[in-house]
Amino acid sequence: MRQARALPLSRRGLLTAGGAIGLGALLTACGDDKGSGSGSDDGGGSWSFTDDRKKKISLDGRPQHIVAYIGAAAALYDFGVEKQITGVFGPTTLKNGKPDVQAGDFPVDQATSLGNTWGQFNVEKYASLNPDLLITNMYDPGALFYLPDDSKEKILQLAPSLAIKTGRISMLEPIKRYAELAEALGADPKAKKVTAAKARFEKAAETLRKTVKSHKIKVMACSASADLFYVSDPKINTDLIYFSELGVDFVVPDNTDKGGYFESLSWENADKYDADVLFLDNRTATLQPKDLTAKPTWSKLPAVKADQITPWSSEPRFSYAGAAPLVESLTKAIQDAKKVS
């Protein structure tokens, strides 16, 4: 699911941001079709990268002042880009100042926040950072995630933009693309923390593959707001596509909203689909089990009665370090669940 606006959830609010339709992009760096950037760590030498709009970004040197959507920043940080990201936008910190779940391990106090919620993007502050490059996700074809429509034109005049496709493809694809981008930005793909994270991810994936063969459990990926209950389509969301490839049996909604990421149901109809486990969106803007006890239909769901609810990071961090815990968490939920639907 992806999107984001006044946030109750339309991909920019849910995890159902439309994805692009097959824009497989080639990465290039100074003519290298493998996609590794060129230029020294101090920015010397030319640098280029072709993003998932098939747009080639060419700079005089490796970018040293990057502003990124927080999810992109977190993924790049996991792959070893630790110093060049000087600004971020999107859900970065909570009201108490602690990192938002979408910030992952990114050190939020080391970058300037340009806006923490949808629609917020301080253009003046962005300009003051002298950005070399802006990086964000792309859930819908050509749409730069979390850039406000009313200021997008001004934002894009200040620095080149780079988009990584994160919708309607398996989660492995954006993970690989962020790994390529990180390497182009100077990160070491063979660093211990990167290789260890990949090994953990691959082990977790194989464990999930084996688990679903012996545990016949129906899972429903969903998200909750005050007025609506959203059932996500496992054929559209990148992580759900990947989990399905591993064999997870998801509920497939039969009447998705425009964009195809989810079906929105009134709370009176929240029991439309049966499931043994609820994979519940855990983003800050969504409602959690403690917020839903007053909803009669919620309390009557078999999975709720059985306390078989597990958090869903519906906007995953596209790195091995970010994805491995998600796979492990879903595996445990399926292992511990019993048939109730």
Side-chain angles (χ1 to χ4, degrees):
M1 299 154 77
R2 277 344 149 176
Q3 282 150 92
R5 202 149 211 147
L7 245 169
L9 320 167
S10 55
R11 179 32 293 127
R12 301 179 187 179
L14 243 193
L15 160 183
T16 191
I21 299 175
L23 298 177
L26 296 176
L27 175 68
T28 64
C30 295
D32 184 293
D33 61 6
K34 293 181 181 178
S36 57
S38 79
S40 63
D41 290 339
D42 62 3
S46 60
W47 185 91
S48 67
F49 187 97
T50 300
D51 76 355
D52 289 352
R53 297 168 295 180
K54 296 185 179 179
K55 175 182 177 182
K56 185 175 182 179
I57 297 95
S58 298
L59 302 173
D60 291 338
R62 182 179 295 156
Q64 299 299 306
H65 301 281
I66 297 170
V67 170
Y69 172 64
I70 186 59
L76 290 169
Y77 184 82
D78 288 339
F79 282 118
V81 179
E82 300 181 353
K83 297 180 180 180
Q84 294 139 278
I85 300 174
T86 56
V88 293
F89 55 97
T92 303
T93 56
L94 305 175
K95 291 181 180 179
N96 61 10
K98 293 184 178 180
D100 188 279
V101 64
Q102 289 173 239
D105 296 326
F106 183 79
V108 297
D109 58 344
Q110 293 183 26
T112 299
S113 174
L114 304 179
N116 206 58
T117 61
W118 174 250
Q120 291 183 348
F121 193 110
N122 191 316
V123 181
E124 291 72 23
K125 191 178 289 186
Y126 176 55
S128 73
L129 295 175
N130 296 314
D132 299 317
L133 183 66
L134 182 145
I135 301 172
T136 191
N137 292 336
M138 184 173 67
Y139 292 102
D140 294 302
L144 301 181
F145 192 52
Y146 244 82
L147 291 192
D149 291 337
D150 59 357
S151 57
K152 182 171 62 176
E153 186 175 341
K154 291 180 180 179
I155 294 168
L156 295 179
Q157 289 176 351
L158 294 170
S161 62
L162 188 157
I164 298 296
K165 181 181 176 183
T166 52
R168 300 178 189 273
I169 52 176
S170 174
M171 182 169 65
L172 286 180
E173 296 307 312
I175 289 176
K176 290 176 182 177
R177 290 291 282 146
Y178 270 111
E180 292 172 342
L181 176 56
E183 184 176 2
L185 291 171
D188 180 6
K190 296 181 180 179
K192 185 176 180 179
K193 91 168 189 177
V194 177
T195 57
K198 185 176 182 180
R200 177 184 173 184
F201 172 79
E202 291 174 342
K203 180 181 179 180
E206 188 55 33
T207 301
L208 177 56
R209 189 191 302 276
K210 292 177 179 178
T211 295
V212 296
K213 289 181 179 179
S214 57
H215 295 69
K216 303 302 181 181
I217 296 296
K218 177 74 78 172
V219 179
M220 181 160 65
C222 52
S223 188
S225 71
D227 300 320
L228 296 170
F229 183 63
Y230 302 85
V231 179
S232 296
D233 191 338
K235 301 188 299 295
I236 304 295
N237 297 278
T238 56
D239 56 340
L240 303 186
I241 290 173
Y242 179 62
F243 297 147
S244 296
E245 291 171 348
L246 294 176
V248 177
D249 183 15
F250 283 107
V251 168
V252 179
D254 56 26
N255 188 27
T256 55
D257 298 2
K258 182 179 179 181
Y261 278 85
F262 55 86
E263 178 177 357
S264 55
L265 301 171
S266 65
W267 277 106
E268 290 77 9
N269 297 312
D271 57 355
K272 178 177 179 178
Y273 300 105
D274 293 327
D276 303 305
V277 169
L278 296 187
F279 202 24
L280 185 67
D281 190 347
N282 71 347
R283 289 181 301 164
T284 305
T286 64
L287 299 184
Q288 301 308 303
K290 63 181 176 56
D291 307 313
L292 297 168
T293 55
K295 303 285 188 185
T297 317
W298 168 262
S299 301
K300 292 179 181 178
L301 294 175
V304 175
K305 288 182 178 180
D307 194 26
Q308 294 180 173
I309 307 167
T310 192
W312 173 31
S313 296
S314 67
E315 195 172 310
R317 195 158 100 234
F318 296 108
S319 67
Y320 296 115
L326 308 184
V327 180
E328 293 166 348
S329 177
L330 179 57
T331 300
K332 186 176 189 307
I334 292 174
Q335 289 173 336
D336 295 345
K338 60 183 180 181
K339 270 308 249 192
V340 294
S341 63

